[in-house]
Amino acid sequence: MGFADLSIAEIATDYSVPVEKVLSICDKLLIAYKNPKTRLALEDAKAIISQIVSETHPGDTSNSVGETEVT
């Protein structure tokens, strides 16, 4: 398991959400942490970011490279 070299606080800053929101997502996804400076495993960081994006853009139909899917 690799590390993303991102902390909870950095993700909160990068995605303009409160640290408490990211901590809440960690709790929801059962991701262990000690404090907002905790460095995350790559898989955990990706899961948190995915959750933030899905909550802030619920109707988004773009894929990971920003291309719009045809429906």
Side-chain angles (χ1 to χ4, degrees), residues 7-23:
S7 70
I8 292 168
E10 290 169 332
I11 291 174
T13 299
D14 290 348
Y15 287 89
S16 302
V17 296
V19 171
E20 294 77 16
K21 175 70 176 169
V22 181
L23 295 174

Side-chain angles (χ1 to χ4, degrees), residues 33-61:
Y33 63 90
K34 290 185 181 183
N35 58 54
K37 293 181 182 180
T38 299
R39 295 283 179 196
L40 298 165
L42 179 60
E43 293 80 7
D44 292 343
K46 287 167 54 176
I48 292 166
I49 292 167
S50 177
Q51 185 70 33
I52 291 169
V53 170
S54 71
E55 290 179 9
T56 57
H57 300 93
D60 192 2
T61 59

